[in-house]
Amino acid sequence: AQSVTQPDIHITVSEGASLELRCNYSYGATPYLFWYVQSPGQGLQLLLKYFSGDTLVQGIKGFEAEFKRSQSSFNLRKPSVHWSDAAEYFCAVPMEYGNKLVFGAGTILRVKS
Amino acid sequence: GAGVSQTPSNKVTEKGKYVELRCDPISGHTALYWYRQSLGQGPEFLIYFQGTGAADDSGLPNDRFFAVRPEGSVSTLKIQRTERGDSAVYLCASSKLAGTDTQYFGPGTRLTVL
């Protein structure tokens, strides 16, 4: 069955530092992959998605993610983190024709000044 | 345009009571999804509608949970005989089409069962 693992529950980075959030997936075929962000009290906002083609995907707010089939990974990156990036980040993969998403447990990002 | 809206934003109820949670999807979106997010976890799928019909309700935890979408737009999630374990944030999402089309999420309803 499809599954998503986000190994890091919490990550703290300094403002201006680079960021990488890890996501590993289990999926039978070429997956569709999503990253969502959730700020306190807010709904989930789509950062970026991978469907096919170029394995490096650009998203909103300066985020990017790279699909690596050999490692079953879809890590999220940002070259320079801003204090406003503090939030919880979720990786997700669709299950069974994409009619429902399976989410990882999330990574809480804290940004220190 | 307007995004997905959910009402109420917060609901506090007593154990054993009945609650209804409402979702208003993005206009024109045919697919609607309900998820439940417990503290410290990612959202978990509950039910998916394509139009008026529940195409997949495999995530509903038991028969106390039920959802409807009578006119293919607004959906209501209904929970009977609430239990403390039902306390969570209930998220609604919609997408233009079913399948892998992007799902857009509402802000959620935080349900607290005392």
Side-chain angles (χ1 to χ4, degrees), chain A residues 32 34 36 38 41-46 49 51 88 90 94 96-106, chain B residues 33 35 37 40-45 48 56 58-59 89 91 98-108:
Chain A
Y32 300 100
F34 302 83
Y36 283 86
Q38 187 176 40
Q42 305 289 315
L44 292 160
Q45 182 182 20
L46 180 70
K49 58 187 179 185
F51 277 9
E88 189 161 16
F90 293 94
E96 295 178 17
Y97 311 108
N99 292 330
K100 49 193 174 187
L101 291 175
V102 176
F103 286 85
Chain B
Y33 309 79
Y35 293 83
Q37 186 176 19
Q41 298 182 22
E44 293 179 311
F45 170 79
Y48 147 66
D56 183 350
S58 61
V89 176
L91 296 167
T100 54
D101 206 22
T102 298
Q103 295 180 28
Y104 296 90
F105 283 80

Side-chain angles (χ1 to χ4, degrees), chain B residues 1-103:
Chain B
V4 178
S5 62
Q6 293 185 246
T7 55
S9 55
N10 281 282
K11 177 70 177 179
V12 180
T13 191
E14 294 179 342
K15 181 175 177 295
K17 298 290 189 182
Y18 168 82
V19 296
E20 289 189 352
L21 311 179
R22 175 188 167 109
C23 172
D24 205 332
I26 293 172
S27 177
H29 280 195
T30 61
L32 185 146
Y33 309 79
W34 284 98
Y35 293 83
R36 180 168 71 173
Q37 186 176 19
S38 300
L39 195 62
Q41 298 182 22
E44 293 179 311
F45 170 79
L46 294 176
I47 186 170
Y48 147 66
F49 287 89
Q50 179 57 45
T52 60
D56 183 350
D57 64 358
S58 61
L60 295 178
N62 50 59
D63 62 5
R64 296 186 296 105
F65 288 74
F66 189 71
V68 296
R69 194 186 185 199
E71 297 178 357
S73 178
V74 171
S75 176
T76 304
L77 178 66
K78 309 180 181 198
I79 310 174
Q80 299 177 319
R81 304 184 303 280
T82 52
E83 299 178 356
R84 293 195 179 88
D86 298 335
S87 297
V89 176
Y90 289 82
L91 296 167
C92 177
S94 70
S95 63
K96 188 177 274 190
L97 301 170
T100 54
D101 206 22
T102 298
Q103 295 180 28

Side-chain angles (χ1 to χ4, degrees), chain A residues 20-49:
Chain A
E20 183 169 35
L21 302 182
R22 296 184 291 166
C23 171
N24 293 97
Y25 63 89
S26 171
Y27 197 88
T30 300
Y32 300 100
L33 293 155
F34 302 83
W35 274 101
Y36 283 86
V37 61
Q38 187 176 40
S39 299
Q42 305 289 315
L44 292 160
Q45 182 182 20
L46 180 70
L47 282 176
L48 49 79
K49 58 187 179 185

Side-chain angles (χ1 to χ4, degrees), chain A residues 3-113:
Chain A
S3 65
V4 176
T5 302
Q6 294 181 248
D8 304 306
I9 299 174
H10 293 94
I11 280 187
T12 299
V13 299
S14 298
E15 191 169 16
S18 63
L19 169 71
E20 183 169 35
L21 302 182
R22 296 184 291 166
C23 171
N24 293 97
Y25 63 89
S26 171
Y27 197 88
T30 300
Y32 300 100
L33 293 155
F34 302 83
W35 274 101
Y36 283 86
V37 61
Q38 187 176 40
S39 299
Q42 305 289 315
L44 292 160
Q45 182 182 20
L46 180 70
L47 282 176
L48 49 79
K49 58 187 179 185
Y50 170 77
F51 277 9
S52 65
D54 194 346
T55 56
L56 185 61
V57 181
Q58 301 298 320
I60 62 171
K61 304 185 180 187
F63 286 92
E64 66 178 25
E66 186 170 13
F67 168 59
K68 292 186 178 180
R69 184 192 304 276
S70 61
Q71 298 177 19
S72 297
S73 70
F74 189 56
N75 294 349
L76 183 71
R77 301 194 296 243
K78 186 169 185 177
S80 178
V81 169
H82 187 262
W83 64 266
S84 61
D85 293 324
E88 189 161 16
Y89 293 79
F90 293 94
C91 183
V93 61
M95 187 171 179
E96 295 178 17
Y97 311 108
N99 292 330
K100 49 193 174 187
L101 291 175
V102 176
F103 286 85
T107 297
I108 297 172
L109 173 65
R110 176 173 166 260
V111 180
K112 59 181 182 181
S113 54

